[in-house]
Amino acid sequence: MPKNDNLTQFKAGDITIVENKDLNIWKALLPVFVLVALLAFNVFVYGDDALSGSNQFILLMGAAVAAMVGFTNKVSYKLMIEEVAENVKSTTGAILILLMVGALAGTWLISGVIPSMIYYGLQILSPTIFLAASLIICIIVSTATGSSWTTSATMGIALMGIGSALGVPPGMTAGAVLSGAYFGDKMSPLSDTTNLAPAMAGGDIFEHIKYMTITTVPTITITLIVFIILGFTIDTVGTANTQVMLTGIKASFHVTPLLFIVPLVVIVLIVKKTSPLIALIIGTLLGGLFAIIFQSAIIWNQGLRYQVTKVPEKYSKMVTWDNITNNHYQTPGTYKLVTKADNITLQNPVLFTLPESNKKVSQIFKGSTTILEDGKVVGELKVTAKPTSFFTTAYFAVMNAMTVPTSINTKSKKLNDLFSSKGMGGMLGTIWLILCAMTFGGVMDAIGALAKISSAILNLFDSIFGLFASTVFSCIALNVTASDQYLAIVVPGKMYAKAFKDKGLAPENLSRTLEDAGTVTSTLVPWNTGGAYQSGVLGVSVHEYFIYAIFNWLSPIMTLIFAAFKIKIKKLVVK
């Protein structure tokens, strides 16, 4: 391929910026237009399942379109791959933090930290201030879990029922629930969007959270005041009773204020400027330790395994275990043998059923069966199953909570939905999205499209307010067109990073705006995955709760107000 003399590269900190004089603004925007169109169609087809992988592939398709634009402008394949590699490398810290957030969520669940937060939060509920109390409860739950969807599907459903019994309009209740639910989705370090925004903007998660408080605290304060006022304007009847859920939590966990030592330690570490990754690792390990100390019943229930003896060598050619892939530690369940040949039969193929338990199991289980070959007895096979010690059981429980899906069964289905965690494995979808977004962004970098678009933005919006406004409108537009809050963060985040940098603005300005305008407005669009999900779960249409979802529509307005008056606009520190 001929060398492109109009292609120039220069460093902006750790970022390589490519400018391409051959590229006009319409060619630079072509991959964006194609990407948005494909994403909109894909979400229409897949609905809520679009993030399972198809959206990620669409981002790669957008990268392919950008690559074709690059090829027509004499940009080499090697340069594109190098830019993609550089982009992916820049997300290493964010990916590691995401994995640790998943691990932390798991140990905080089995240790009782999250359930204790919810337990004490529920007791704030009072019929006289139902709407304000609902907002506070959902703030606590969403901050503890990092999920707006989980909050609305658990606390939200319960509060909708209580609100109905009290005579509160369902739109008001839903608005309070969603305002509180999206507070945690936006602010909690356990939230994937809270991790995604700074990853796209090139900032630090805890600096991002700290900077978000500047606009979020006034927004949630106004929201709380409005709901307090609304509470005095409506007549409530009945009694708010959360005793069933409180009893369910107490029956499943050892609830104690001592468990709050774990999050307090993490907060202190963060305040002391400890590396976020180290703070999260310590918080995860402390969660595991507190689970062993305070939640022995859950440790036994989640981690109990059995050592099952191997089939003796003399019978190994005749029979084998039906559901054992290795012969070291096995989960509770029914275990039986199967034959390896048609002429081999077993008198009693089911040898034993190994039970689950909430306490130590001392019994050694024994099983035996007679093996017959062509109807004749060839021998009797005897096996045993020995339960694991507390140390080994605790290792299984804590390690699984950190890495794979974990759920705590209670007598309440609502609590069962709430008390579940996906561990590190649950973060892989977001990590996958980041990698595909970095591929798209890397190719766009390499062909000079981002520099061209950023330049056009700066020419179009010469003021700092104009840049903030264009980011806000881009996020909302993507929530409307692409119908997904993650994409409303990813695409503008990558496209506007250079523009903010060129204006001398710290990345926290961009990441905060992405959350103020991208994360929280998704639930205000009926066909967006957020809006469709929330209205379906709460049983209230978007147009009914729209005006009462105060936190959600006030957040982008608040960020524009702060930008217009140049309040707390953080400047880029040149090292």
Side-chain angles (χ1 to χ4, degrees):
M1 181 177 290
K3 183 180 179 181
N4 187 347
D5 295 328
N6 289 321
L7 204 64
T8 57
Q9 293 177 278
F10 62 92
K11 280 277 188 178
D14 295 330
I15 302 172
T16 300
I17 305 298
V18 179
E19 290 188 342
N20 189 346
K21 294 180 181 178
D22 285 344
L23 196 69
N24 62 47
I25 185 61
W26 297 112
K27 286 183 178 180
L29 285 171
L30 178 61
V32 179
F33 292 149
V34 172
L35 177 66
V36 171
L38 289 175
L39 288 173
F41 177 75
N42 190 61
V43 172
F44 172 77
V45 173
Y46 275 90
D48 293 347
D49 293 329
L51 271 178
S52 298
S54 55
N55 271 350
Q56 285 88 327
F57 185 76
I58 293 299
L59 280 164
L60 296 181
M61 292 294 291
V65 173
M68 287 187 282
V69 171
F71 288 139
T72 61
N73 285 272
K74 303 177 184 179
V75 180
S76 70
Y77 173 79
K78 181 182 178 182
L79 177 60
M80 295 182 202
I81 292 298
E82 287 175 351
E83 285 298 307
V84 169
E86 186 174 309
N87 269 18
V88 170
K89 181 182 177 182
S90 70
T91 65
T92 302
I95 288 172
L96 290 174
I97 287 174
L98 275 171
L99 290 173
M100 287 315 305
V101 165
L104 180 140
T107 61
W108 282 22
L109 170 64
I110 66 167
S111 66
V113 172
I114 290 175
S116 292
M117 288 181 179
I118 295 170
Y119 179 83
Y120 291 113
L122 277 173
Q123 296 184 64
I124 298 173
L125 190 62
S126 169
T128 56
I129 53 168
F130 172 73
L131 290 172
S134 297
L135 174 68
I136 293 170
I137 288 170
C138 289
I139 286 172
I140 293 170
V141 174
S142 64
T143 302
T145 63
S147 172
S148 58
W149 286 25
T150 299
T151 302
S152 59
T154 52
M155 289 297 102
I157 292 173
L159 291 169
M160 289 299 297
I162 296 170
S164 178
L166 294 172
V168 179
M172 285 187 183
T173 305
V177 167
L178 293 174
S179 292
Y182 276 88
F183 176 90
D185 200 324
K186 178 185 176 186
M187 294 294 292
S188 173
L190 301 179
S191 168
D192 46 8
T193 57
T194 308
N195 285 271
L196 187 60
M200 292 298 101
D204 173 78
I205 178 175
F206 293 110
E207 285 296 319
H208 165 63
I209 293 172
K210 180 181 177 182
Y211 196 63
M212 275 200 298
T213 60
I214 296 170
T215 54
T216 304
V217 170
T219 305
I220 200 66
T221 301
I222 293 171
T223 302
L224 179 60
I225 292 170
V226 171
F227 279 121
I228 290 173
I229 295 171
L230 285 174
F232 287 110
T233 65
I234 56 176
D235 295 324
T236 58
V237 294
T239 303
N241 182 15
T242 58
Q243 193 57 47
V244 173
M245 300 190 78
L246 292 173
T247 302
I249 295 173
K250 287 281 282 186
S252 302
F253 296 90
H254 175 60
V255 178
T256 169
L258 292 175
L259 291 166
F260 290 109
I261 293 172
V262 179
L264 284 174
V265 167
V266 175
I267 291 170
V268 169
L269 287 172
I270 294 169
V271 171
K272 294 291 185 180
K273 304 296 183 182
T274 304
S275 165
L277 191 58
I278 293 174
L280 291 173
I281 290 173
I282 292 173
T284 299
L285 295 176
L286 275 178
L289 177 62
F290 274 56
I292 295 170
I293 295 171
F294 291 101
Q295 312 295 344
S296 62
I298 289 175
I299 290 294
W300 283 112
N301 180 262
Q302 294 291 317
L304 180 62
R305 299 293 187 272
Y306 293 88
Q307 286 180 285
V308 180
T309 56
K310 295 181 179 180
V311 174
E313 189 175 346
K314 65 179 180 177
Y315 299 129
S316 61
K317 293 183 179 179
M318 300 178 187
V319 298
T320 185
W321 288 108
D322 181 36
N323 53 352
I324 294 181
T325 54
N326 64 73
N327 291 302
H328 206 41
Y329 292 103
Q330 310 304 325
T331 57
T334 299
Y335 288 85
K336 66 178 182 178
L337 294 168
V338 292
T339 60
K340 289 186 173 181
D342 293 338
N343 66 329
I344 303 296
T345 56
L346 299 171
Q347 194 176 63
N348 177 33
V350 179
L351 296 189
F352 35 56
T353 298
L354 306 177
E356 294 182 351
S357 179
N358 291 325
K359 58 184 179 180
K360 182 179 180 180
V361 176
S362 301
Q363 176 185 358
I364 295 178
F365 294 83
K366 298 179 180 180
S368 64
T369 184
T370 302
I371 302 176
L372 299 93
E373 184 175 17
D374 296 322
K376 296 180 179 180
V377 175
V378 296
E380 186 177 14
L381 187 154
K382 295 182 179 181
V383 292
T384 60
K386 180 182 178 182
T388 49
S389 65
F390 182 73
F391 176 81
T392 306
T393 301
Y395 181 82
F396 272 115
V398 174
M399 188 62 71
N400 286 344
M402 290 192 292
T403 56
V404 297
T406 300
S407 59
I408 308 297
N409 292 321
T410 70
K411 295 180 180 180
S412 168
K413 186 178 183 304
K414 292 184 178 70
L415 289 177
N416 289 345
D417 292 338
L418 184 61
F419 295 151
S420 62
S421 170
K422 295 181 179 179
M424 294 168 74
M427 291 296 178
L428 295 180
T430 304
I431 292 171
W432 187 8
L433 180 67
I434 289 174
L435 293 176
C436 291
M438 290 298 100
T439 302
F440 172 73
V443 178
M444 290 288 284
D445 274 337
I447 68 174
L450 292 186
K452 180 65 69 174
I453 293 170
S454 297
S455 177
I457 292 171
L458 291 174
N459 291 333
L460 212 71
F461 304 102
D462 192 46
S463 66
I464 289 178
F465 173 76
L467 184 57
F468 276 88
S470 62
T471 306
V472 168
F473 295 139
S474 295
C475 291
I476 295 174
L478 275 162
N479 263 328
V480 172
T481 56
S483 302
D484 187 86
Q485 69 173 7
Y486 296 98
L487 297 167
I489 294 172
V490 169
V491 177
K494 194 59 191 172
M495 302 303 289
Y496 285 81
K498 183 179 182 296
F500 273 78
K501 192 177 185 70
D502 286 346
K503 280 291 185 184
L505 300 174
E508 288 78 23
N509 292 283
L510 174 57
S511 60
R512 184 185 73 185
T513 307
L514 294 175
E515 293 249 58
D516 282 340
T519 299
V520 300
T521 60
S522 61
T523 193
L524 303 177
V525 181
W527 54 87
N528 187 288
T529 52
Y533 173 84
Q534 300 294 1
S535 62
V537 166
L538 299 178
V540 183
S541 64
V542 173
H543 79 268
E544 282 184 85
Y545 69 65
F546 187 102
I547 191 64
Y548 299 111
I550 300 164
F551 179 78
N552 302 71
W553 54 257
L554 184 57
S555 289
I557 296 173
M558 187 65 70
T559 205
L560 289 176
I561 291 172
F562 273 65
F565 291 97
K566 298 181 180 179
I567 303 171
K568 296 288 185 178
I569 303 300
K570 189 175 182 181
K571 299 295 183 180
L572 192 63
V573 177
V574 180
K575 295 182 180 180

